[in-house]
Structure formats: structure tokens, C-alpha cells
Amino acid sequence: MLVITRREGEEVVIGDPANPIGVIRIAGIKGDRVRIALEFPRDIQVHRREVAEQILAEQPQVVGKIGNAAG
């Protein structure tokens, strides 16, 4: 894991600096809360950890195997 210290208004560039995948900006800091702004293409999913875990938990499970009808 990479840990970077940033101040309000500063950014982190993700990917190639000439053509970044996305940018993370520190939008604000109030007490123990940090607001971040994420700039990524719409086709890249961005989720909070608890939402990502919920999405994974709700994926349908395969109940049985699909076999060959002739077999």
C-alpha cells in the first residue's frame, strides 16, 4: 500500500502523467473528516469499500453445474 500525504487542494495522479487514468484531489478537511474528489472516466467503477463488499455479497451464486443434455 502506498501512503501519500497531501494538503487540501493538492492532487494525486493515477497512471501515466501524460494520459492519467484518473485524478484524486483533497477537496476539504474538517476535523477528522477528509473530502476527496475523484475524477475518473465513467466506465471505471468507483465504490466505497462497504458498498463494494455489499455488491460482492449480492452476486448470484451458482447452485448447480450445467451439464451436457446428451450426457
Side-chain angles (χ1 to χ4, degrees), residues 2-30:
L2 173 64
V3 178
I4 299 175
T5 302
R6 300 276 71 200
R7 290 186 174 93
E8 190 170 336
E10 293 182 334
E11 297 178 339
V12 175
V13 176
I14 307 296
D16 179 4
N19 188 19
I21 296 169
V23 176
I24 300 171
R25 182 173 43 87
I26 305 304
I29 303 170
K30 289 184 180 181

Side-chain angles (χ1 to χ4, degrees), residues 44-71:
I44 296 179
Q45 294 186 24
V46 178
H47 302 287
R48 296 181 315 227
R49 171 62 68 187
E50 62 272 18
V51 172
E53 289 172 356
Q54 184 178 13
I55 291 168
L56 289 173
E58 292 177 357
Q59 285 189 357
Q61 301 294 320
V62 177
V63 176
K65 293 182 180 180
I66 299 173
N68 186 341

